[in-house]
């Protein structure tokens, strides 16, 4: 797997492009933990998803901060028993938390959203906001909930192979067309990442090591357009490939999926 | 009724009305034949194969398949299209396009499933096709993460599972190692012995020699410049050179430079 650190030389644009690419590749390809012999990996995917789903539901319903904390502890313990390094796990989940929190938790602390006892007044651009203790409490609760549910979701996705995950979605009555679309998006994302990487490689080998900053911007813009049209053409070709093997717009799936014969 | 599978009559086709891809192609393919379409890059080979598989249609001229005119209208009928797709299978040039399912198992089963075979039959076909290519151990893998050779084998298996009468292959040996090429050749020959018609596009003259009995040569004008028996065309070095299928190439053997056509045709050691 290509790591960003190995791309130290090269322009800023190139570096951030490749960093994004390697993140996509890693996110779509990373199945190392899914094939380890841990606790979660040993569970049947259907049972695992159902259990995690119930735990997520519990986290959403619970109103007590301490109980949610307990649930979070349970999640970390499960990660530990599944041989996932705890720092890696925390990093993976904590990336998402600020994003979610910013949009949901911050507005909640103000009196207009959560009326109650005023703790402090703040003035931003002439607007006076009052922070309430109820607001703070519900914000804390929200952050705790988000952290716990995201962690649980990341736990399943890390310990289950993607193909299995998609297959079990089908068992829960998620329409096949939806699952198929998701898995195809997933595949495009991967091909897209590989394509960007190859184009960068090709340019680099022709132009030299560094793409000048100014030209770099142009090159990125041109290539994004190019990649778009390529991806578009590819989806047309894939559709033809499906037609060739009898697809008529009505997906069917294999029953009795036998494993490890 | 004759037993011609495909009859092409003055077929013209261009992409987006601007990029010509076939300019006046006439062709007759009989049942059980082994046809090779050869020609340099961009001479319309892939387009022709897509045309034979009913994926693109001529703008001028006519294609007949199994005695019936093959056009959009004919294939719009579900019965017709199912019958046609059960009889004709196409292995695409790009295996990444051909394989679009989350697992190899589903990809191989895709054809039989969508062509209306019962689940039991689908499982049987899945088993037979994956065994004949030796890809049973890959069934639970994700197709796009396989090696080039593995992808190609799975792509071929996904078409063999349909058990079509006509197998169309687009550059089936490109990028494969010699052992895998041999495996593909044996598979094609064996399918032909069971009565299957083989149509393939390739630049691999060794493959042509090993498999084909009839050869069509396409030129940059995007039409057939010559057709005939395999031996007749393959041993005409000047002709092949003219059409970019081999090139003269200087070699140094024991400090002695001499020149001979490349692809080392007819010098194969086995
Ligand atoms: N999707 C497409 N859009 C436009 N032009 C195309 C497309 N596909 C192929 N062509 C053009 O059609 C011609 C024949 O292409 P193709 O059938 O792929 O040739 P070959 O398989 O012999 O390399 C080429 O000139 C190519 O540029
Ligand atoms: Mg081609």
């Amino acid at each position: 797997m290509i790591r960003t650190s190995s791309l130290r030389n090269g322009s800023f644009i190139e570096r951030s492009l490749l960093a994004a690419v390697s993140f996509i590749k890693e996110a779509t390809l990373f199945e190392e933990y899914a094939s380890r012999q841990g606790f979660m990996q040993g569970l049947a995917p259907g049972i695992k998803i159902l259990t995690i789903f119930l735990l997520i539901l519990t986290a959403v319903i619970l109103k007590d901060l301490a109980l949610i904390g307990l649930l979070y502890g349970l999640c970390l313990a499960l990660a530990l028993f599944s041989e996932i390094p705890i720092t890696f796990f925390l990093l993976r989940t904590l990336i998402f938390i600020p994003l979610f929190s910013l949009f949901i938790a911050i507005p909640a602390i103000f009196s207009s959203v959560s009326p109650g006892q005023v703790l402090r007044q703040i003035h931003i651009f002439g607007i006076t906001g009052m922070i309430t203790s109820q607001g703070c409490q519900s914000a804390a609760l929200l952050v705790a909930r988000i952290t716990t549910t995201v962690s649980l979701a990341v736990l399943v996705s890390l310990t289950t192979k993607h193909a299995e995950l998609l297959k079990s979605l089908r068992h829960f009555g998620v329409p096949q067309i939806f699952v198929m679309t998701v898995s195809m998006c997933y595949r495009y994302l991967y091909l897209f990442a590989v394509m960007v990487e190859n184009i960068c490689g090709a340019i680099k080998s022709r132009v030299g090591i560094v793409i000048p900053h100014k030209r770099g911007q142009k090159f990125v813009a041109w290539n994004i357009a190019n990649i778009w049209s390529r991806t578009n053409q590819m989806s047309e070709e894939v559709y033809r490939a499906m037609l060739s093997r009898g697809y008529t717009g009505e997906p069917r799936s294999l029953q009795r999926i036998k494993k490890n014969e | 009724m004759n037993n011609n599978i495909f009859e092409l009559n003055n077929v013209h086709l261009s992409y987006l009305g601007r990029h010509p891809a076939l300019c006046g192609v006439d062709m007759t393919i009989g049942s059980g034949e082994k046809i090779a379409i050869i020609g340099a890059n961009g001479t319309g080979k892939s387009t022709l194969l897509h045309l034979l598989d009913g994926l693109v249609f001529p703008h001028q001229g006519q294609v007949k398949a199994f005695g019936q005119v093959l056009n959009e209208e004919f294939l719009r009928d579900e019965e017709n299209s199912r019958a046609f797709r059960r009889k004709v299978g196409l292995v695409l040039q790009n295996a990444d396009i051909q394989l679009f399912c989350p697992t190899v198992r589903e990809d191989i089963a895709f054809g039989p499933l969508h062509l209306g075979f019962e689940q039991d039959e689908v499982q049987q076909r899945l088993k037979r096709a994956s065994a004949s290519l030796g890809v049973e151990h890959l069934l639970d893998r994700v197709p796009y993460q396989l090696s080039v050779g593995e992808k190609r084998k799975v792509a071929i298996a996904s078409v063999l599972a349909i058990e079509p009468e006509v197998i169309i292959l687009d550059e089936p040996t490109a990028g494969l190692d010699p052992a895998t090429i041999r495996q593909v050749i044996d598979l094609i020959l064996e399918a032909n012995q069971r009565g299957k018609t083989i149509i393939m596009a390739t630049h691999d003259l060794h493959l042509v020699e090993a498999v084909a009995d009839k050869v069509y040569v396409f030129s940059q004008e995007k039409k057939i410049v010559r057709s005939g028996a395999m031996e007749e065309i393959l041993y005409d070095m000047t002709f092949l050179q003219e059409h970019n299928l081999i090139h003269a190439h200087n070699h140094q053997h024991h400090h002695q430079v001499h020149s001979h056509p490349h692809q080392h045709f007819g010098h194969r050691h086995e």
Side-chain angles (χ1 to χ4, degrees):
Chain A
M1 193 145 302
I2 294 191
R3 298 225 131 251
T4 30
S5 57
S6 65
L7 308 161
R8 230 169 289 123
N9 41 20
S11 70
F12 169 74
I13 292 172
E14 193 186 339
R15 253 180 306 152
S16 36
L17 201 67
L18 287 179
V21 165
S22 79
F23 179 79
I24 293 176
K25 255 177 105 175
E26 208 169 295
T28 51
L29 261 186
F30 210 74
E31 298 210 321
E32 187 193 332
Y33 294 122
S35 41
R36 288 195 179 177
Q37 303 283 314
F39 173 71
M40 290 291 283
Q41 291 89 336
L43 294 177
I47 296 171
K48 180 163 46 182
I49 291 171
L50 198 67
T51 316
I52 294 289
F53 181 72
L54 289 177
L55 286 178
I56 288 178
L57 216 64
T58 318
V60 173
I61 293 167
L62 281 179
K63 292 222 158 63
D64 189 337
L65 210 56
L67 286 180
I68 295 181
L70 214 67
L71 209 56
Y72 184 60
L74 176 71
C75 178
L76 291 185
L78 283 176
L80 218 60
F81 285 127
S82 307
E83 301 193 5
I84 299 170
I86 211 75
T87 42
F88 172 81
F89 186 71
L90 288 177
L91 271 174
R92 254 295 154 104
T93 50
L94 294 180
I95 290 178
F96 295 102
I97 312 298
L99 227 120
F100 281 105
S101 314
L102 206 74
F103 289 105
I104 305 166
I106 305 280
I109 62 177
F110 292 102
S111 63
S112 49
V113 181
S114 319
Q117 192 190 347
V118 176
L119 288 183
R120 174 182 280 196
Q121 278 195 354
I122 52 167
H123 303 274
I124 314 163
F125 305 123
I127 301 165
T128 309
M130 283 178 282
I131 297 176
T132 63
S133 71
Q134 278 82 351
C136 283
Q137 233 165 33
S138 63
L141 203 63
L142 264 174
V143 172
R145 262 185 206 154
I146 291 169
T147 313
T148 312
T149 50
V150 168
S151 301
L152 286 166
V154 168
L155 183 65
V156 204
S157 75
L158 276 180
T159 56
T160 317
K161 295 206 165 111
H162 289 285
E164 278 177 4
L165 202 68
L166 289 169
K167 243 187 259 167
S168 356
L169 281 182
R170 229 137 64 190
H171 286 305
F172 293 121
V174 176
Q176 153 103 33
I177 187 79
F178 177 79
V179 175
M180 193 138 169
T181 313
V182 169
S183 73
M184 281 177 74
C185 285
Y186 191 79
R187 204 173 140 275
Y188 279 130
L189 215 58
Y190 176 80
L191 288 179
F192 183 81
V194 171
M195 209 189 298
V196 172
E197 206 172 74
N198 288 342
I199 290 175
C200 277
I203 301 249
K204 231 174 160 171
S205 73
R206 261 177 288 172
V207 181
I209 334 152
V210 190
I211 306 163
H213 196 77
K214 267 271 158 54
R215 288 227 326 263
Q217 281 172 346
K218 235 188 248 162
F219 142 74
V220 168
W222 179 78
N223 262 290
I224 285 173
N226 179 23
I227 286 166
W228 255 116
S229 78
R230 276 208 220 180
T231 316
N232 203 13
Q233 190 181 335
M234 200 153 70
S235 64
E236 211 166 280
E237 286 172 14
V238 169
Y239 181 66
R240 275 197 207 150
M242 295 171 78
L243 278 186
S244 168
R245 284 193 277 151
Y247 184 75
T248 51
E250 185 192 333
R252 288 158 204 265
S253 63
L254 261 185
Q255 284 165 15
R256 286 188 289 124
I257 295 157
K258 287 184 237 156
K259 292 185 60 188
N260 310 324
E261 276 176 86
Chain B
M1 233 195 91
N2 58 18
N3 61 345
N4 280 344
I5 289 189
F6 288 111
E7 286 166 61
L8 275 64
N9 194 349
N10 191 30
V11 165
H12 288 258
L13 189 154
S14 58
Y15 287 99
L16 310 168
R18 273 184 289 136
H19 309 289
L22 293 174
C23 305
V25 173
D26 295 292
M27 200 173 221
T28 306
I29 297 174
S31 177
E33 282 192 296
K34 289 172 288 181
I35 307 285
I37 317 271
I38 62 177
N41 285 321
T43 50
K45 303 183 297 296
S46 296
T47 306
L48 176 75
L49 299 189
H50 286 216
L51 186 90
L52 297 179
D53 196 38
L55 298 174
V56 292
F57 303 94
H59 298 148
Q60 195 190 322
Q62 194 184 54
V63 181
K64 272 189 175 176
F66 307 99
Q68 255 157 331
V69 177
L70 185 66
N71 54 22
E72 275 177 292
E73 207 179 323
F74 175 76
L75 287 178
R76 210 171 288 137
D77 180 87
E78 215 155 292
E79 288 282 302
N80 289 343
S81 115
R82 174 168 289 183
F84 177 77
R85 307 245 171 256
R86 279 186 181 196
K87 281 193 272 195
V88 182
L90 166 68
V91 181
L92 294 172
Q93 183 169 358
N94 184 347
D96 276 322
I97 300 285
Q98 175 119 34
L99 305 173
F100 44 77
C101 293
T103 64
V104 169
R105 180 190 305 278
E106 283 160 288
D107 248 320
I108 298 178
F110 188 93
L113 262 179
H114 286 81
L115 290 167
F117 292 101
E118 295 298 322
Q119 291 279 344
D120 279 342
E121 176 66 17
V122 173
Q123 296 286 354
Q124 295 285 323
R125 283 168 180 245
L126 171 65
K127 217 179 233 167
R128 281 199 293 268
S130 48
S132 70
L133 280 129
V135 293
E136 298 106 317
H137 61 293
L138 301 174
L139 287 180
D140 288 307
R141 295 278 301 275
V142 182
Y144 56 82
Q145 291 170 10
L146 303 176
S147 76
V148 178
E150 288 168 337
K151 273 183 202 166
R152 187 64 54 78
K153 285 191 210 169
V154 174
I156 295 175
S158 75
V159 169
L160 287 190
I162 299 172
E163 302 184 1
E165 278 173 40
V166 183
I167 304 174
I168 305 177
L169 304 111
D170 201 348
E171 307 205 8
T173 56
L176 300 185
D177 60 56
T180 316
I181 291 181
R182 193 64 239 176
Q183 210 182 336
V184 171
I185 290 175
D186 289 342
L187 208 83
I188 295 175
L189 289 175
E190 195 237 341
N192 180 253
Q193 255 152 26
R194 281 183 285 121
K196 313 277 183 192
T197 307
I198 307 292
I199 304 168
M200 56 182 190
T202 185
H203 324 264
D204 180 351
L205 297 187
H206 293 315
L207 175 68
V208 177
E209 188 193 33
V211 173
D213 43 37
K214 189 161 185 196
V215 177
Y216 288 89
V217 185
F218 274 69
S219 71
Q220 290 300 347
E221 287 73 47
K222 292 158 174 80
K223 55 186 182 190
I224 298 166
V225 279
R226 192 164 162 188
S227 64
M230 182 270 288
E231 295 84 0
E232 186 194 314
I233 287 175
L234 278 199
Y235 301 125
D236 189 344
M237 294 292 181
T238 29
F239 173 76
L240 292 179
Q241 217 159 309
E242 252 169 52
H243 288 274
N244 272 332
L245 289 159
I246 49 173
H247 59 90
H249 184 91
N250 287 333
H251 277 259
Q252 196 166 4
H253 292 302
H254 305 291
H255 312 286
Q256 187 188 9
V257 180
H258 68 115
S259 164
H260 67 103
H262 205 232
Q263 276 236 353
H264 299 262
F265 209 64
H267 299 282
R268 198 136 56 109
H269 312 286
E270 286 194 287

